[in-house]
């Protein structure tokens, strides 16, 4: 079984950190990646992710506007 790769995209570091801790406790086998923006996510996240947890009210390009960008990079990902 492969590890689930979860990408958290939120511009609030404390929220990302807290959510990451909760997910790590609930899903110890999961690999969790964090990004503060869509640019950071696309530039530094792994080539493949299974799930994206996306803040829809990001500064700059909002999460809702960025879904198309993320779907191009990871076409099989679940949001």
């Amino acid at each position: 079984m492969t590890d689930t790769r979860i990408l958290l995209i939120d511009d609030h570091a404390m929220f990302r950190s807290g959510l990451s801790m909760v997910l790590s406790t609930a899903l110890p086998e999961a690999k969790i990646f964090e990004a503060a923006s869509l640019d950071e996510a696309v530039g530094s996240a792994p080539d493949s992710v299974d799930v994206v947890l996306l803040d829809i009210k990001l500064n700059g390009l909002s999460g809702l506007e960025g879904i198309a960008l993320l779907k191009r990079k990871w076409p099989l990902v679940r949001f």
Side-chain angles (χ1 to χ4, degrees):
M1 181 176 154
T2 61
D3 293 336
T4 301
R5 294 163 310 252
I6 301 171
L7 174 59
L8 305 177
I9 307 172
D10 194 295
D11 51 352
H12 296 93
M14 190 177 294
F15 179 79
R16 276 194 327 271
S17 179
L19 185 54
S20 180
M21 285 191 290
V22 169
L23 290 170
S24 293
T25 300
L27 304 167
E29 76 289 348
K31 293 187 179 189
I32 301 172
F33 304 90
E34 298 181 29
S37 68
L38 289 165
D39 287 337
E40 183 181 339
V42 171
S44 66
D47 291 335
S48 175
V49 295
D50 300 301
V51 177
V52 173
L53 300 176
L54 175 64
D55 179 0
I56 60 171
K57 293 187 178 182
L58 290 171
N59 290 324
L61 185 64
S62 79
L64 288 177
E65 296 166 336
I67 287 176
L69 171 72
L70 297 174
K71 287 300 271 182
R72 281 193 298 275
K73 178 152 176 88
W74 301 293
L76 301 177
V77 76
R78 292 171 292 203
F79 289 87

